[in-house]
Amino acid sequence: MRELAAAHFPYFPVRWLLRDGFESTGFAPAIRAPTLTLAAQNDEIVPAAGTSRLLAAFPPNVATLEVVPGASHNEISSSPRYLEAMRAALGY
């Protein structure tokens, strides 16, 4: 999160202002439970490269990626595909 915020707001000292950096990539190697990662196809906030780095940090065969077609960062949860992927991951 700190890197992302710094890229979006280079004129603010966001690395100092954010109390929680949401450093998911650092925690991912220890996760063993099946993990679904959802990404918006047209995400204007989180670049695809960031999602790729996160997925690469997981142990092999732990995380899967579902890209929600046509969705942007703030619209992803409104997409029927998002809900379908969540239900499938949760076994509903």
Side-chain angles (χ1 to χ4, degrees):
M1 178 66 85
R2 284 187 180 100
E3 289 177 25
L4 186 61
H8 282 279
F9 304 103
Y11 37 85
F12 287 117
V14 293
R15 293 180 195 277
W16 297 338
L17 296 172
L18 286 175
R19 291 179 182 251
D20 189 341
F22 298 96
E23 303 296 334
S24 302
T25 305
F27 294 107
I31 295 174
R32 300 289 180 259
T35 304
L36 172 64
T37 304
L38 288 163
Q41 180 184 20
N42 303 319
D43 198 321
E44 67 282 5
I45 305 297
V46 180
T51 303
S52 295
R53 276 194 307 277
L54 175 60
L55 285 171
F58 281 91
N61 304 314
V62 171
T64 58
L65 172 63
E66 179 79 33
V67 177
V68 178
S72 67
H73 186 83
N74 290 321
E75 296 171 340
I76 189 171
S77 60
S78 302
S79 170
R81 184 63 204 126
Y82 175 88
L83 293 176
E84 291 167 12
M86 291 289 285
R87 286 186 181 118
L90 297 171
Y92 287 102

